[in-house]
């Protein structure tokens, strides 16, 4: 079991640098940030860009992996995104992981002036977005014309430090997304039932994730992909579960999901006066002692 954290991009860098360095000092496997233009209750609060934040974090740290949770087509294009990702991978010395998904509704979905896409429209775009991004990050030059995304002699030299490219961790629960996970993903991400994770009783939440893992296994079998070769990540913080209340609560929570087949849990760095307002001392105790108690 690996333990990672999400650091929201809400800090001016004079303070943010300290948080990212502290995450490395605490021994987290990775530190991720949300790739949004804004997000929910933070919409009218400070919020910085994910890629510049990760670039700065790469220069402020040495060992911890860095990544997005998650990047989506809502306001990204594969050609420009590929250039940014290979740059962060280079600056970090090959420590970048790209959490990626179809995106959702909300501010990001309309900030560029477009109408909010339906679930089917988002899935249609992702069907083009992910394969094209894969090509852009594994080829020196790419030309491809699609319905939604095209690239014309797009150059990405010298390519990623990580070969053949930076790893994709695909956030998906439906059949189309799971198929793409099996085809392109080095990892898979869930935060629970996407239809309303907080509405599921805490004792039923593991069953939801267990069913998703079963569908992921079936998608891997259909694609001829080794299920064991895909990392399986759980992003904590959206369900009714409260694993950050104490070290014991976290150990029980992590042990339950470890038994189901989850091998990386991501917990949110505490943010006062928000839905992530957990005790920092307890959080740090979980970071340094939690995984060791799983046995």
């Amino acid at each position: 079991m690996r333990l990672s954290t999400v650091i929201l991009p809400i800090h001016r860098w004079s303070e943010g640098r300290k948080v990212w360095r502290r995450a490395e000092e605490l021994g987290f496997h990775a530190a991720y940030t949300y790739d949004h233009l804004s997000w929910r209750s933070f919409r009218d609060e400070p919020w910085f860009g994910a890629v510049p934040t990760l670039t700065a974090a790469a220069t402020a740290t040495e060992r911890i992996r860095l990544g997005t949770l998650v990047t989506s087509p809502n306001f990204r294009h594969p050609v420009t995104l590929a250039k940014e990702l290979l740059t962060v991978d280079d600056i970090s010395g090959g420590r970048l992981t790209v959490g990626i998904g179809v995106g959702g509704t909300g501010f990001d979905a309309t900030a560029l002036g477009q109408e909010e896409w339906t679930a089917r429209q988002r899935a249609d775009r992702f069907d083009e977005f992910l394969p094209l991004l894969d090509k852009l990050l594994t080829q020196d030059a790419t030309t491809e014309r699609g319905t939604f995304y095209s690239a014309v002699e797009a150059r990405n030299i010298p390519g990623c430090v990580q070969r053949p490219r930076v790893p994709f961790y695909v956030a998906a629960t439906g059949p189309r997304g799971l198929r793409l996970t099996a085809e392109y993903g080095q990892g898979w991400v869930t935060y629970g039932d996407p239809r309303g994770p907080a509405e599921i009783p805490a004792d039923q939440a593991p069953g939801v994730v267990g069913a998703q893992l079963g569908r992921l296994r079936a998608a891997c079998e259909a694609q001829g992909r080794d299920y064991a070769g895909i990392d399986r990540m759980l992003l904590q913080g959206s369900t009714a579960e409260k694993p950050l209340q104490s070290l014991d609560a976290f150990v029980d929570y992590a042990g339950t999901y470890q038994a189901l087949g989850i091998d990386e849990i991501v917990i949110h760095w505490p943010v006062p006066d928000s839905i992530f307002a957990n005790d920092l001392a307890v959080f740090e105790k979980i970071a340094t002692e939690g995984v060791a108690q799983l046995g």
Side-chain angles (χ1 to χ4, degrees), residues 7 10 19 25 34 51 53 65 79 94 113 161 190 257 262 266 291:
I7 301 172
I10 59 177
V19 177
E25 291 169 358
Y34 283 178
V51 172
T53 295
R65 290 196 64 82
V79 170
V161 173
T190 185
Y257 286 102
I262 294 293
V266 185
V291 172

Side-chain angles (χ1 to χ4, degrees), residues 71-85:
T71 294
S72 81
N74 267 353
F75 63 94
R76 296 291 189 186
H77 189 286
V79 170
T80 52
L81 178 62
K83 186 68 72 175
E84 293 179 349
L85 295 177

Side-chain angles (χ1 to χ4, degrees), residues 12-23 25 60 269:
R12 290 193 180 277
W13 191 244
S14 57
E15 186 63 28
R17 179 190 297 111
K18 301 173 187 176
V19 177
W20 288 82
R21 285 179 174 172
R22 184 58 178 158
E25 291 169 358
W269 196 276

Side-chain angles (χ1 to χ4, degrees), residues 23-24 57 63 102 123 128 133 145 179 186 259 275 282:
E24 183 167 78
R63 302 175 305 279
V102 298
E128 279 192 16
L133 186 62
R145 297 188 183 274
R179 173 183 55 79
Q186 285 66 54
I275 60 172
V282 173

Side-chain angles (χ1 to χ4, degrees), residues 6-8 10-11 42 268-278:
V6 168
I7 301 172
L8 299 186
I10 59 177
H11 308 283
F42 294 88
H268 288 82
W269 196 276
V271 179
D273 302 317
S274 78
I275 60 172
F276 304 124
N278 294 294

Side-chain angles (χ1 to χ4, degrees), residues 5-6 13 36 50 70-72 83 90 94 124 132 154 160 172 177 188 203 210 222 238 259 278 283 291-292:
T5 188
V6 168
W13 191 244
H36 291 294
V70 296
T71 294
S72 81
K83 186 68 72 175
D90 180 73
D124 288 343
L132 179 54
C160 299
W188 170 79
D203 62 346
S238 296
N278 294 294
F283 175 85
V291 172

